[in-house]
Amino acid sequence: MTFTARGLAACLLVVATTGVAAAQDAETQGITDKEIRIGMFGPFGGPAYLYGKISMNGAEAVFDKVNESGGVHGRKLVLVREDDGCRAEGAIGAVKKLAYESKVFALMGGACSNSTVAARPEIERAGIPFILNSATADSITDPPAKNIFSTQTTGSGESRAQLDFAIKKGAKKIALVAMKDAWGMSRYTPLMKYLEDKNVKLVENLELAGDAVDATPQALKLKASGADAVILVLYPKPAAVMMRDALKLGYNPMWLGNSTISDLKAFGAQVGLPGALDHFVTISSTRFDPSDPKLKAWDDRIKKLFPNDELSPFNFYGLGSALVLVEVLNRVGPQPTRTKFLNELGKLKDFKSEAYFGPITCNAPTSHQCNQNPGWFAWKNDKLVEIQ
Amino acid sequence: MMYFSYLFATGLTTGAIYALVALGIVVVYRATNVVNFAHGEMFMLAGFMAWSAHVTFGLSYLSALALAVLGAFVLSIVMYRYAFKPLMALRDPNPILLVMIGLSFVLKGAARDVWGGKGDYLTFPPLVSPEPMQFAGIMIMSQQLVVLVAALLVMAVLLLLLRYTRAGKFMQATADNAKAARLVGLRIDRVYMYTFGVGAAVAAISAVLMAPLTLLNPDMGFALFIKGFAAAVLGGLSSIAGAIVGGLILGVAEQMAAGYIETGLQEVAAFVVIVLVLIFIPNGLFGTKVARRV
């Protein structure tokens, strides 16, 4: 009996010791004396690769710069990329691989809303700090999970901002053109609710597919409705097709874009008609102005690392989150742990960087949506102009 | 009237492009009994090749068109020689289909590597003034008119080529009966190869015609392939005339459904038409029933 009790106690001690050791391991996983491994997941190919691969290239540029100047508290930053193919099962697999096989310290990325929503339970289970930088679905960060933070705006927030902006600018007849896929619906549904709250009736509520090559019926209907403001819940390509077909008909109201249309120079070229962006304004979480000399250094670094890239807002998604990550790691000090990292990230206030329009503030534990300050921009005389 | 005419003209223009894509699919299918699932990617690649020639290297539109056609022709011949020909001997369509699907992903990835990283969507400069023209109460874009006329011209040339040239007759003979064609001494391997080439060349022409009307991106091929395939099925899959009529019907149906019923129907209208046609005319509009001796 005594033997059994001793044996049991010994077993419990072993289990407890192993458990503590495992917890300690998890706290400092991915950290050695020389490096800190950071994982990033998103699509390497497919239509959403801009939010995956290109965003990762932005993060890599930040790590390159930090490593060039000695790293964070002497440790080099190493980026471990995983392709999630913008698919739910891909994102879950990528998170598992990064957390348990590559054993990274923290995660960044999350290019596609659907896949990142699906991966949220796995990220929570792994307890790994995650900075979301591209996807805008509210449900990734609301309700807050203790280890998930976002430096990107949210879909519902953008929808409200679009309507508020139209009203503020005196629009009397407001129309909507929306994609009705999962991304579009995550914005469309809160927008419908907000329209009801504001007692605003749309003069046209139209649909355009993400891979549309023609928007003639939509353009004719918008023109006939006489809408003076058109809210676009569209990706850049269908938005360009929409505006181009409307402009051909001589119809050019106030167009209200969203954060996916934040490379205004490229977007103007895509619409491809004179005066294409004369009445176009858009929301952006990042401050991307290719004519800004302050961005030259990032442009050079991106070109050095990825000769086929041209600096774009999609680089900025990764660049911005990486700057936040580096700032938090610096604040944590030379002995980082996941708990310390999450505490510091949750306390981050008014962090300004060249990547984001507004300061980054995380109000843990009530809100982990750290980018509450998107800006409104227009493209005038080959320059990005902020609109109040 | 103006509303209808503009929708109709736009429908005819996009329909003509669908018809050209469908023609490329049908030409290959008739000769080889294989639906080329990489056809859309050939369309996409040709668009990008023309973009590079026209925008990056400043060549004229016609030179860019010629280069894209040549590039697509050569690439499809290489693909035939090294990917399809060894599998054609197996007489099993499944490996060929898998290789085509695989190749379509490879081509898409290659395009993204070469032309990606630049905002992903590239604009092809307009051919003529983008302003609409009006005559006799009908509104049409001059650009649409150019594309429509050019597409009809290409269709006519292709029909003449198939009907009156030696190469066209070889293709027709192989399509009608490959065994008999071989027995009379035709090198049907070579006929297959050139058929793939002609299919790709037609895809290239349609891509370069369509490029100024839309945006180029590495994923555009599949969407266009689906539309072209739908047009081909609607017309009867092995009928050249059917592909043309199927494409035009599809283009107009999309515009009318979106313009008069609901904009959400634009992308599905074409497929509703196909389902209805296949239910009521299973061989398509111009398809022939295969008679079987019992």
Side-chain angles (χ1 to χ4, degrees):
Chain A
M1 189 70 184
T2 315
F3 175 78
T4 313
R6 274 186 194 158
L8 186 66
C11 283
L12 284 173
L13 189 66
V14 169
V15 169
T17 315
T18 315
V20 170
Q24 274 171 350
D25 278 356
E27 276 289 310
T28 54
Q29 176 182 296
I31 298 178
T32 66
D33 290 344
K34 290 190 175 140
E35 64 177 40
I36 302 175
R37 291 158 69 80
I38 304 295
M40 206 159 173
F41 66 96
F44 291 180
Y49 89 111
L50 294 166
Y51 305 93
K53 181 182 165 187
I54 300 297
S55 151
M56 291 174 191
N57 292 355
E60 194 93 58
V62 173
F63 286 11
D64 183 61
K65 186 183 175 197
V66 170
N67 291 342
E68 218 173 68
S69 50
V72 179
H73 297 295
R75 294 185 179 95
K76 304 266 181 197
L77 297 174
V78 177
L79 189 69
V80 185
R81 302 178 183 221
E82 273 304 325
D83 186 4
D84 71 3
C86 205
R87 288 172 294 110
E89 68 277 19
I92 294 168
V95 167
K96 281 184 176 170
K97 195 168 172 201
L98 289 167
Y100 305 116
E101 211 176 295
S102 305
K103 291 189 179 293
V104 297
F105 173 71
L107 289 176
M108 292 194 296
C112 306
S113 288
N114 290 351
S115 52
T116 313
V117 168
R120 176 181 158 145
E122 193 54 54
I123 299 169
E124 280 192 77
R125 230 186 331 271
I128 191 165
F130 172 44
I131 302 177
L132 171 72
N133 65 9
S134 294
T136 54
D138 289 60
S139 55
I140 303 169
T141 44
D142 186 26
K146 76 173 177 99
N147 58 325
I148 299 176
F149 290 78
S150 174
T151 55
Q152 181 55 275
T153 51
T154 61
S156 66
E158 286 192 23
S159 291
R160 283 194 295 274
Q162 283 176 307
L163 183 59
D164 286 340
F165 191 87
I167 294 169
K168 188 174 134 192
K169 292 292 170 188
K172 298 279 180 284
K173 293 179 171 182
I174 301 172
L176 168 70
V177 186
M179 280 159 57
K180 296 281 180 72
D181 61 355
W183 173 86
M185 291 310 288
S186 74
R187 289 158 183 260
Y188 180 85
T189 310
L191 180 60
M192 288 299 114
K193 170 87 179 56
Y194 198 51
L195 281 162
E196 226 176 270
D197 295 347
K198 288 268 176 184
N199 204 19
V200 175
K201 253 187 121 56
L202 294 172
V203 292
E204 276 293 358
N205 182 351
L206 306 173
E207 184 178 343
L208 187 65
D211 57 358
V213 293
D214 175 81
T216 303
Q218 290 80 355
L220 287 167
K221 281 176 186 246
L222 286 175
K223 190 176 183 186
S225 75
D228 49 13
V230 179
I231 294 174
L232 299 172
V233 179
L234 299 171
Y235 283 153
K237 188 206 163 198
V241 170
M242 177 70 256
M243 284 183 61
R244 185 202 57 201
D245 285 351
L247 285 167
K248 282 179 190 167
L249 294 170
Y251 174 65
N252 197 4
M254 173 166 57
W255 300 95
L256 302 157
N258 58 73
S259 64
T260 64
I261 316 170
S262 46
D263 187 345
L264 296 190
K265 188 181 180 188
F267 185 64
Q270 286 160 5
V271 180
L273 293 173
L277 300 189
D278 284 355
H279 300 109
F280 180 81
V281 288
T282 195
I283 294 175
S284 182
S285 58
T286 56
R287 186 191 287 278
F288 176 73
D289 179 0
S291 64
D292 185 351
K294 279 186 277 181
L295 301 188
K296 173 90 175 62
W298 287 120
D299 191 24
D300 291 345
R301 198 172 288 274
I302 287 280
K303 285 207 172 91
K304 179 192 94 178
L305 295 169
F306 311 101
N308 203 32
D309 277 20
E310 279 172 19
L311 189 68
S312 80
F314 307 104
N315 288 136
F316 268 50
Y317 290 161
L319 205 141
S321 63
L323 287 172
V324 169
L325 178 121
V326 169
E327 174 67 17
V328 175
L329 281 174
N330 272 320
R331 290 184 188 196
V332 164
Q335 302 299 330
T337 64
R338 282 180 173 170
T339 305
K340 283 188 202 170
F341 181 88
L342 287 170
N343 285 341
E344 278 302 328
L345 181 56
K347 287 191 295 192
L348 195 65
K349 292 261 181 302
D350 292 328
F351 171 65
K352 294 188 179 80
S353 72
E354 57 263 56
Y356 291 118
F357 170 73
I360 297 296
T361 296
C362 305
N363 291 311
T366 47
S367 170
H368 288 192
Q369 296 169 349
C370 308
N371 192 343
Q372 299 285 353
N373 297 293
W376 279 97
F377 295 98
W379 189 252
K380 307 270 179 211
N381 304 320
D382 258 357
K383 271 193 176 315
L384 195 72
V385 179
E386 191 187 334
I387 308 283
Q388 296 297 331
Chain B
M1 180 61 186
M2 186 82 87
Y3 187 81
F4 173 82
S5 68
Y6 191 56
L7 283 177
F8 189 72
T10 307
L12 278 185
T13 311
T14 44
I17 299 290
Y18 296 161
L20 280 182
V21 177
L23 272 179
I25 295 169
V26 166
V27 166
V28 173
Y29 179 78
R30 278 160 57 93
T32 61
N33 268 325
V34 166
V35 174
N36 183 0
F37 277 86
H39 189 73
E41 275 58 45
M42 204 52 83
F43 175 98
M44 172 273 296
L45 268 184
F48 276 115
M49 285 192 271
W51 181 87
S52 286
H54 188 50
V55 177
T56 311
F57 298 110
L59 299 182
S60 70
Y61 179 78
L62 285 178
S63 309
L65 171 71
L67 274 178
V69 170
L70 184 70
F73 186 83
V74 171
L75 185 62
S76 71
I77 282 182
V78 171
M79 276 165 52
Y80 173 80
R81 287 286 295 271
Y82 297 103
F84 303 141
K85 191 180 164 187
L87 297 172
M88 298 282 270
L90 298 177
R91 298 183 188 284
D92 177 1
N94 292 331
I96 300 177
L97 282 182
L98 288 175
V99 164
M100 282 172 172
I101 291 168
L103 266 174
S104 72
F105 280 96
V106 170
L107 294 177
K108 213 183 295 186
R112 185 158 278 120
D113 252 20
V114 178
W115 290 280
K118 296 179 176 65
D120 211 26
Y121 303 109
L122 300 179
T123 313
F124 207 97
L127 278 180
V128 286
S129 161
E131 304 293 323
M133 304 185 306
Q134 288 186 26
F135 54 87
I138 294 172
M139 185 163 67
I140 188 168
M141 299 289 168
S142 38
Q143 189 147 309
Q144 284 179 340
L145 201 62
V146 171
V147 171
L148 185 59
V149 170
L152 293 174
L153 202 67
V154 172
M155 289 173 205
V157 169
L158 186 69
L159 284 174
L160 291 174
L161 178 107
L162 288 175
R163 187 156 296 178
Y164 297 110
T165 66
R166 207 171 138 81
K169 284 177 180 164
F170 286 173
M171 284 183 202
Q172 292 277 37
T174 311
D176 286 344
N177 191 329
K179 266 186 197 163
R182 184 179 280 135
L183 281 174
V184 296
L186 287 187
R187 295 176 65 182
I188 63 165
D189 272 352
R190 191 159 282 192
V191 174
Y192 285 156
M193 184 174 79
Y194 287 123
T195 307
F196 267 90
V198 169
V202 176
I205 295 170
S206 45
V208 184
L209 285 177
M210 190 169 192
L213 294 174
T214 185
L215 294 167
L216 298 171
N217 73 88
D219 297 290
M220 68 190 294
F222 185 70
L224 261 299
F225 167 77
I226 288 291
K227 295 286 173 69
F229 184 56
V233 170
L234 181 58
L237 202 53
S238 56
S239 163
I240 299 277
I244 296 170
V245 174
L248 295 176
I249 290 177
L250 231 66
V252 174
E254 282 182 354
Q255 294 293 317
M256 294 301 161
Y260 286 105
I261 308 171
E262 166 66 51
T263 46
L265 288 176
Q266 189 170 11
E267 291 302 306
V268 293
F271 301 102
V272 173
V273 171
I274 291 160
V275 170
L276 292 176
V277 167
L278 290 181
I279 288 171
F280 296 107
I281 324 167
N283 293 308
L285 295 173
F286 291 76
T288 46
K289 219 176 233 176
V290 180
R292 204 154 55 103
R293 198 183 290 273
V294 289

